[in-house]
Amino acid sequence: MLMTECLVTLKNATVRFDGPPVIDGINLTLNRGDIVTIIGPNGAGKTTLIKSILSIQKLSGGEIWLKPGARIGYVPQHLILQPTLPLSVRRFLMLTGEPEARCREALAQTGVSHLFDASIHHLSGGEKQRVLIARALARNPDLLVLDEPAQGVDINGQAALYDLIRTLRDQLQCGVIMISHDLHLVMAATDQVICLNQHICCSGRPEDISADPAFIETFGQQVAESLAVYHHHHNHQHTLHGDVVAGDGDACQHEDCHSHGTH
């Protein structure tokens, strides 16, 4: 299996409803092994772009190509469940139609196998996100699509989630595309950043993107300067709660981790 195998290609992809384009002229290639993060202000079209890749949203113009037979695992931004509906993690995962053994394996891959018989209504934010990721993993995806994977997770758990995403990419040899607002943390977890504001304003490696004039115009000089000095030497691992458990924690220059007592 080649890690450079192309999974998704968008050419001049455009989505328009009743007004100006929501996304306009997007060109994007995602290969197996890539972690691509979409950032941008509210209303920039990030979720519309993701829905187009998932074939939920039809393009108004341009083309999208998805590798034939590619399996996609999707982690939505929100999970809304009726609190009066009894639902265990086991039953939630089995709704994928995958065998119980595979559901257990997927839950173990996300580090929360002990939650298999727990009520999904009683999970913490970090636990719920890991169960959602496990649900996406149950199909052994070639492409993992995540919409705000750290939504509702405290600062101590966010770094652990992004560590998990990188680990899953390595284990599954899949491609990953995700939306994130956690600019500082996600810079340590991604290979390529795409700054979207209806069109692609700029794109590149995390260490380069903060110097791009389009990025500075979108997010401001103060954010760009903070990202420029925010270089995370990623040579350690985090627990479910964000604590460092392996590697040389002293080499980590993760300022938010230091300021919040994570390291």
Side-chain angles (χ1 to χ4, degrees), residues 103-159:
C103 292
R104 285 184 178 274
E105 182 183 1
L107 202 63
Q109 285 178 292
T110 64
V112 287
S113 56
H114 61 286
L115 297 176
F116 195 65
D117 293 310
S119 168
I120 201 165
H121 299 292
H122 299 157
L123 304 182
S124 69
E127 290 171 339
K128 186 175 292 185
Q129 288 304 104
R130 286 173 179 256
V131 169
L132 283 172
I133 294 172
R135 184 176 183 272
L137 294 180
R139 300 186 63 239
N140 291 305
D142 300 293
L143 175 62
L144 190 58
V145 180
L146 307 103
D147 191 348
E148 295 283 359
Q151 180 84 8
V153 180
D154 64 28
I155 187 69
N156 290 338
Q158 289 174 12

Side-chain angles (χ1 to χ4, degrees), residues 179-196:
I179 296 172
S180 180
H181 282 104
D182 308 305
L183 297 183
H184 290 85
L185 288 174
V186 82
M187 290 300 181
T190 192
D191 301 317
Q192 181 182 7
V193 177
I194 293 176
C195 181
L196 186 70

Side-chain angles (χ1 to χ4, degrees), residues 155-172:
I155 187 69
N156 290 338
Q158 289 174 12
L161 270 175
Y162 289 122
D163 279 350
L164 173 63
I165 291 166
R166 289 190 68 89
T167 298
L168 292 173
R169 184 275 309 270
D170 294 341
Q171 291 177 346
L172 301 175

Side-chain angles (χ1 to χ4, degrees), residues 8-232:
V8 179
T9 299
L10 282 77
K11 293 183 179 180
N12 200 33
T14 299
V15 172
R16 184 191 304 270
F17 299 120
D18 295 326
V22 180
I23 57 172
D24 187 15
I26 304 298
N27 293 301
L28 170 65
T29 297
L30 179 67
N31 295 318
R32 189 180 296 277
D34 289 345
I35 300 181
V36 176
T37 300
I38 311 295
I39 63 173
N42 291 334
K46 300 184 295 296
T47 297
T48 298
L49 177 58
I50 290 294
K51 287 182 177 180
S52 299
I53 292 173
L54 294 170
S55 299
I56 297 173
Q57 175 61 57
K58 185 177 180 180
L59 295 180
S60 304
E63 301 176 4
I64 182 168
W65 177 87
L66 180 66
K67 180 181 179 293
R71 298 181 300 274
I72 299 179
Y74 174 51
V75 180
Q77 183 175 357
H78 300 291
L79 175 65
I80 301 175
L81 297 170
Q82 291 296 327
T84 56
L85 175 67
L87 186 64
S88 67
V89 171
R90 176 201 298 263
R91 290 179 62 193
F92 178 69
L93 293 180
M94 294 291 287
L95 290 173
T96 61
E98 298 297 325
E100 180 175 322
R102 175 57 197 144
C103 292
R104 285 184 178 274
E105 182 183 1
L107 202 63
Q109 285 178 292
T110 64
V112 287
S113 56
H114 61 286
L115 297 176
F116 195 65
D117 293 310
S119 168
I120 201 165
H121 299 292
H122 299 157
L123 304 182
S124 69
E127 290 171 339
K128 186 175 292 185
Q129 288 304 104
R130 286 173 179 256
V131 169
L132 283 172
I133 294 172
R135 184 176 183 272
L137 294 180
R139 300 186 63 239
N140 291 305
D142 300 293
L143 175 62
L144 190 58
V145 180
L146 307 103
D147 191 348
E148 295 283 359
Q151 180 84 8
V153 180
D154 64 28
I155 187 69
N156 290 338
Q158 289 174 12
L161 270 175
Y162 289 122
D163 279 350
L164 173 63
I165 291 166
R166 289 190 68 89
T167 298
L168 292 173
R169 184 275 309 270
D170 294 341
Q171 291 177 346
L172 301 175
Q173 296 190 348
C174 64
V176 177
I177 185 166
M178 60 181 167
I179 296 172
S180 180
H181 282 104
D182 308 305
L183 297 183
H184 290 85
L185 288 174
V186 82
M187 290 300 181
T190 192
D191 301 317
Q192 181 182 7
V193 177
I194 293 176
C195 181
L196 186 70
N197 199 356
Q198 281 73 56
H199 63 283
I200 294 179
C201 302
C202 56
S203 64
R205 297 179 302 175
E207 58 267 32
D208 298 330
I209 199 75
S210 61
D212 193 292
F215 181 91
I216 296 171
E217 182 179 354
T218 302
F219 291 99
Q221 184 69 39
Q222 185 175 1
V223 171
E225 289 176 353
S226 69
L227 290 179
V229 300
Y230 190 91
H231 183 65
H232 185 186

